[in-house]
Amino acid sequence: MNPYDLLSPAIRKYVYDKGWKKLTSIQAASIQNIINTEYNFILSSKTASGKTEAVLLPTLSNLNNSNGIKILYISPLIALINDQFERIERLCEYLDIPVTKWHGEASISLKKKLIANPQGILLITPESLEAIFVNKPELILKLFSNLQYLVVDEIHSFLNTKRGIQLKSIIHRIENKIKRKIRFFVLSATLGDYKLVKDFVGNPENTKILLDKSQKIVQSQFKYFESPTSDIPLELIEDLYSNVSNKKTLIFPNSRGKVEEISIKLKRLSEQNDGHQNYFAHHSSVSKELRVFAEKFAKETKDKYFSIVCTNTLELGIDIGSVDLICQINSTYSVSSLAQRFGRSGRGEDLISHLLLYATDEWHLLQATACFELYKDSVIEPLEQICYPIDIMLHQIFSILKETNGITKTNLIHELENNYAFRKIDESDIKLLID
């Protein structure tokens, strides 16, 4: 059966009104599998292949009529939630389903509205989800008792991290509260170890992989400007300027200091050459207002060139519109990171990613070449699982104590032993830690 025909009439109208000529490979596969089976799914496909829609089109077509939040959508970044909110809200208008974003910067009145009448889709960060357990534990059952689907976006950003273990624990605690497993979907463009992702879901035997193996075409150029110091050579800055002055670009150095240095020097060069002044610095220490301004300028300005010099704050899938060129200053520290970054270009009619990589010493040149060759061979480095997260368990003990306003030692031990985030920690160490 045509995957499009499996969708609800309202969702089919959305697809038609959007003028999509066809579904992407990952969308067609996910619609068939999500609607026709009861498995959890790992959705892995290249950047800008429509993974968010791939999971939402079938799940929204498959919602039951009960009250409460139906889809819990967890993202690693507030900025990513804010960006996804607009896309998801436009989709849900066709179904008259409300969408709420819940994080530290979100509207308090909209949170209160959701609490009064829980329904629709909730977009949230792991920290805000845990804050509900700690500050409003009485809401957990009210919000999530009829939850149908749980989605984790950019799953690679949680794997092999303490934040990921915290998230696993919180998900277990939700399932423990509502006394059933929730159907689970995880999304990523760059995964190297699917077993680790299956373990993250906590139900590996019921979890399947939907993998689109097609790669983006990447046109790459490597340039070498040796520098005896840590400073960026002037020749590199001048060459960089000649390549970005008449394009829409993202430039990735490997530190916030280099972001500031390069953005200032490019702007000065542009002044000297009567060029545009649309050079922005974007990293976690830049004020929210300036970061949002740069993102909006890139997304909404169609007829002006720009360069955003950034750290990994723009590595994940925040929509900034069409980008002509990705520049990487010295090597990334992983194949996954490199693939995420150059995947930010080639999102319009030109589906080719354009990568310009600079190296300032021979080791960065070697590592950059190795990362790129591994990507071409479809090799993403596997991650080692954090096996003994005793510090995260201590954090969760305090969270559970606050949630329950006190718990017996026996019940606390039982809770921790059954939490799949801590399945490798010995019972004797759990008791020792509590004591």
Side-chain angles (χ1 to χ4, degrees), residues 75-134:
S75 282
L77 298 174
I78 290 174
L80 195 55
I81 285 177
N82 292 339
D83 177 64
Q84 289 164 328
F85 175 78
E86 296 179 12
R87 290 165 58 196
I88 296 173
E89 189 175 47
R90 285 194 296 271
L91 168 58
C92 288
E93 284 173 356
Y94 282 72
L95 298 158
D96 197 25
I97 290 176
V99 184
T100 306
K101 52 183 176 180
W102 188 307
H103 52 65
E105 299 170 7
S107 164
I108 294 175
S109 62
L110 292 179
K111 292 178 184 177
K112 288 181 177 178
K113 184 178 178 181
L114 180 72
I115 291 169
N117 183 22
Q119 56 181 314
I121 300 177
L122 177 61
L123 304 176
I124 197 166
T125 61
E127 291 72 24
S128 291
L129 192 54
E130 176 143 52
I132 297 174
F133 270 100
V134 171

Side-chain angles (χ1 to χ4, degrees), residues 223-242:
K223 295 197 172 190
Y224 185 67
F225 292 87
E226 188 164 7
S227 174
T229 69
S230 61
D231 293 335
I232 303 290
L234 178 59
E235 295 84 357
L236 189 156
I237 296 291
E238 291 173 338
D239 189 87
L240 178 62
Y241 175 76
S242 70

Side-chain angles (χ1 to χ4, degrees), residues 230 232 251-263 281-285 309-313 328-331 333 341 364:
S230 61
I232 303 290
I251 303 168
F252 288 96
N254 290 327
S255 71
R256 286 174 288 186
K258 289 290 183 282
V259 166
E260 297 289 347
E261 177 188 348
I262 292 169
S263 60
H282 193 292
H283 55 74
S284 58
S285 295
V309 191
C310 48
T311 55
N312 59 2
T313 50
Q328 175 66 42
I329 312 297
N330 284 323
S331 177
Y333 300 113
R341 291 179 180 188
H364 271 297

Side-chain angles (χ1 to χ4, degrees), residues 330-398:
N330 284 323
S331 177
T332 58
Y333 300 113
S334 69
V335 182
S336 172
S337 183
L338 180 64
Q340 284 287 138
R341 291 179 180 188
F342 68 64
R344 301 310 307 272
S345 72
R347 291 183 171 220
E349 293 181 3
D350 177 10
L351 295 178
I352 300 173
S353 290
H354 298 269
L355 171 68
L356 176 56
L357 198 145
Y358 291 92
T360 59
D361 66 57
E362 58 190 13
W363 288 110
H364 271 297
L365 181 62
L366 178 64
Q367 185 169 347
T369 306
C371 281
F372 191 66
E373 290 298 316
L374 285 167
Y375 169 79
K376 289 196 296 184
D377 290 339
S378 300
V379 177
I380 303 292
E381 54 274 292
L383 298 170
E384 291 184 13
Q385 197 165 6
I386 298 175
C387 294
Y388 224 68
I390 202 83
D391 51 342
I392 304 301
M393 190 171 72
L394 177 62
H395 172 273
Q396 289 296 287
I397 287 172
F398 285 121

Side-chain angles (χ1 to χ4, degrees), residues 5-48:
D5 295 328
L6 294 171
L7 299 172
S8 69
I11 296 295
R12 291 202 301 269
K13 186 175 188 310
Y14 169 82
V15 173
Y16 178 81
D17 289 349
K18 291 287 285 184
W20 294 359
K21 295 178 181 178
K22 63 177 183 177
L23 299 167
T24 65
S25 298
I26 196 68
Q27 289 168 351
S30 67
I31 289 168
Q32 290 177 312
N33 283 278
I34 289 174
I35 289 179
N36 291 327
T37 76
E38 290 299 320
Y39 293 119
N40 303 317
F41 285 102
I42 300 164
L43 277 63
S44 181
S45 65
K46 57 184 177 289
T47 305

